[in-house]
Amino acid sequence: MHLVAGLGRQWPVMINLAWHVADVKPPRTPADDLVSSRVWITVDGVAFPDAGWWDLPLSVIGSALAAYAELRDGGFQEDLPEDIAQASSYFFDGPFALAYRRTADAEPVIYLEGNRENHEGELESLVAGEMPLESFRVALLGAAQILHAEVVTRGHLDEQVRIAAGIVTGLT
């Protein structure tokens, strides 16, 4: 197995990533614009932030879409070598975030790291590894499609349905 160093630990280079969306709650009232559900990732079977994590799935998946688009389109920054782009996405209930770095190779590869900010404000890396950018897109698209179907089925407001549809469109 090939390993890559990340924050003082060794991680597998090519990882298997899955996005999970489950238990989308119906709106509490006809005007309720909050969508909540379980949303998390697994990296080689390790859950982040935790298996069955409750959060705001439109925000979590939307944040990951924004990071994907930045990585896909370049997102290259002055303080990094010209062949590296980076982005972040967030879980909104807790001190958890995903950090990404992408190379400018013909078939882009991203390094993904799931971090938790501890009580001292330091980042602790909980999951990490590399994968093709296209594999990341496909995994995220699957979760976005499930989320969209659940938002429609559960009777959420048209605005939430449009947001979920926009996430799917952004990944296709």
Side-chain angles (χ1 to χ4, degrees):
M1 170 188 341
H2 294 90
L3 299 174
V4 63
L7 295 178
R9 292 181 63 184
Q10 297 289 315
W11 303 98
V13 171
M14 285 297 167
I15 58 171
N16 292 310
L17 171 85
W19 281 88
H20 306 275
V21 174
D23 300 328
V24 174
K25 295 294 181 195
R28 290 174 282 175
T29 68
D32 185 7
D33 64 353
L34 181 68
V35 177
S36 67
S37 78
R38 297 181 188 277
V39 58
W40 74 99
I41 66 168
T42 53
V43 175
D44 288 338
V46 177
F48 179 84
D50 200 9
W53 184 260
W54 281 100
D55 214 315
L56 305 172
L58 290 173
S59 298
V60 171
I61 302 292
S63 175
L65 166 62
Y68 165 75
E70 194 169 327
L71 295 167
R72 178 198 62 210
D73 298 340
F76 299 106
Q77 301 164 356
E78 291 181 23
D79 59 338
L80 294 173
E82 62 183 56
D83 64 340
I84 295 177
Q86 64 182 18
S88 297
S89 67
Y90 304 93
F91 287 83
F92 290 82
D93 186 16
F96 300 99
L98 293 168
Y100 312 90
R101 290 177 67 105
R102 177 204 150 211
T103 61
D105 297 332
E107 292 185 31
V109 170
I110 63 168
Y111 171 76
L112 172 144
E113 189 167 278
N115 298 311
R116 173 181 59 205
E117 187 175 331
N118 66 21
H119 297 294
E120 290 81 37
E122 300 167 340
L123 292 181
E124 298 174 315
S125 182
L126 303 178
V127 294
E130 293 182 349
M131 68 186 307
L133 182 61
E134 176 62 10
S135 296
F136 178 79
R137 183 195 70 79
V138 169
L140 187 58
L141 175 59
Q145 290 169 328
I146 291 168
L147 177 58
H148 177 254
E150 287 294 312
V151 168
V152 169
T153 301
R154 301 275 182 213
H156 282 277
L157 297 175
D158 289 346
E159 180 61 20
Q160 281 63 43
V161 172
R162 279 193 292 275
I163 291 168
I167 294 170
V168 170
T169 300
L171 291 164
T172 51

